[in-house]
Amino acid sequence: MEHSEDIWGIKDCESRFIYTNRAFRKFLNIPDKFKIEGKSDDQLPTPVAEFAEELKKQDQETISSGQRVTIIKTHFFGREKKLQPYLYEKFPLYDENNECVGTVFYGKKMDFVSPQQYASRITPSGLKVAPPMKLFNKSELRIIFFILQSMSAKEIARKLSRSHRTIENNLCRMYQKSAVSSLKEFRKFCQKTGFDRYIPPEFIPLGIQFIENREASL
């Protein structure tokens, strides 16, 4: 666990940390001198502490059910404070007498596959919340995201509360900026430049999303 680049940690039955690896500290940007052991989520010097009650609830769900709990955490993580979703799994931890003594958690950065990447079987390099180049303004970046989900100008207009004529005019300007003359060429441009992996940060809600629980134990 200590040398893993993924996040690992152990909590007791009261949701107090017993162990966390170095990747966990880096993940939450916790100072090296800060002692995590013995503390709970609400005592950590990180914005994620605001979700402490929900995290404790999930710990107790893991312990009481004896099953794995899967969640997604989305926040500004790491030293650079980049918006990033992480997949988390929690398992009940048992001693040699088969008594539950706490939970083990594991987390890793999530990778996303766009429809274009899936269709062309391009290996994804992950979700990007920063545009690959400063070519388009904020409104145009929103349009790009929806265009790459195969939405029409009318559908995008409804999403953004604009007229479809406004969206079409924006698209024409975007074609000029990217030196293309059609939607097909524009989509190829986006795949080549990395815009197909970009999602506007405002489309990613901060917080914790419960996914599922499945039978598992350690």
Side-chain angles (χ1 to χ4, degrees), residues 140-169:
E140 292 169 340
L141 289 171
R142 292 193 185 111
I143 294 173
I144 288 174
F145 174 75
F146 290 123
I147 279 292
L148 295 178
Q149 311 311 311
S150 299
M151 295 178 65
S152 67
K154 288 184 178 181
E155 290 172 323
I156 297 172
R158 286 195 293 268
K159 283 282 187 181
L160 299 179
S161 300
R162 307 280 182 84
S163 70
H164 77 274
R165 185 65 64 185
T166 298
I167 300 301
E168 289 173 349
N169 290 337

Side-chain angles (χ1 to χ4, degrees), residues 44 69 102 111 200:
L44 300 185
V69 172
D111 284 336

Side-chain angles (χ1 to χ4, degrees), residues 189-206:
F189 167 82
C190 290
Q191 292 174 31
K192 183 178 180 180
T193 55
F195 280 104
D196 62 332
R197 296 189 297 272
Y198 170 77
I199 179 171
E202 60 268 27
F203 292 166
I204 305 178
L206 301 183

Side-chain angles (χ1 to χ4, degrees), residues 7-217:
I7 298 162
W8 285 96
I10 302 172
K11 290 182 177 180
D12 64 18
C13 289
E14 300 299 322
S15 293
R16 294 181 294 247
F17 291 99
I18 297 174
Y19 165 81
T20 60
N21 67 351
R22 288 178 292 181
F24 179 83
R25 284 184 173 272
K26 184 178 180 181
F27 165 65
L28 291 179
N29 194 25
I30 296 176
D32 293 335
K33 294 183 179 180
F34 183 86
K35 184 179 179 182
I36 299 176
E37 292 75 15
K39 294 183 172 61
S40 53
D41 287 289
D42 63 326
Q43 296 174 307
L44 300 185
T46 167
V48 181
E50 66 182 282
F51 306 114
E53 284 300 318
E54 179 64 21
L55 292 170
K56 185 174 182 179
K57 179 181 177 181
Q58 291 157 0
D59 292 339
Q60 296 306 311
E61 168 69 16
T62 304
I63 293 170
S64 62
S65 69
Q67 298 178 343
R68 177 172 63 188
V69 172
T70 305
I71 62 175
I72 293 176
K73 289 184 179 182
T74 306
H75 217 283
F76 293 90
F77 295 124
R79 309 291 186 194
E80 301 83 11
K81 295 190 179 298
K82 290 184 178 180
L83 183 62
Q84 177 69 53
Y86 272 72
L87 181 69
Y88 251 70
E89 294 189 309
K90 298 181 180 182
F91 306 82
L93 177 65
Y94 296 95
D95 63 14
E96 62 274 12
N97 298 317
N98 204 34
E99 294 288 334
C100 186
V101 293
T103 58
V104 176
F105 61 84
Y106 164 78
K108 68 175 182 177
K109 186 187 300 182
M110 292 186 67
D111 284 336
F112 285 71
V113 181
S114 71
Q116 291 74 26
Q117 289 171 325
Y118 180 81
S120 58
R121 297 187 180 182
I122 299 174
T123 302
S125 59
L127 174 70
K128 306 293 183 184
V129 291
M133 61 178 71
K134 296 181 180 180
L135 185 62
F136 304 105
N137 60 38
K138 190 173 182 179
S139 178
E140 292 169 340
L141 289 171
R142 292 193 185 111
I143 294 173
I144 288 174
F145 174 75
F146 290 123
I147 279 292
L148 295 178
Q149 311 311 311
S150 299
M151 295 178 65
S152 67
K154 288 184 178 181
E155 290 172 323
I156 297 172
R158 286 195 293 268
K159 283 282 187 181
L160 299 179
S161 300
R162 307 280 182 84
S163 70
H164 77 274
R165 185 65 64 185
T166 298
I167 300 301
E168 289 173 349
N169 290 337
N170 284 338
L171 278 172
C172 288
R173 288 195 296 271
M174 293 158 65
Y175 290 172
Q176 293 175 351
K177 288 183 179 182
S178 52
V180 302
S181 58
S182 69
L183 180 58
K184 183 178 180 180
E185 290 178 352
F186 184 69
R187 285 175 173 161
K188 287 183 178 179
F189 167 82
C190 290
Q191 292 174 31
K192 183 178 180 180
T193 55
F195 280 104
D196 62 332
R197 296 189 297 272
Y198 170 77
I199 179 171
E202 60 268 27
F203 292 166
I204 305 178
L206 301 183
I208 296 174
Q209 179 184 0
F210 178 88
I211 302 299
E212 62 184 35
N213 57 359
R214 290 175 288 180
E215 186 174 356
S217 61

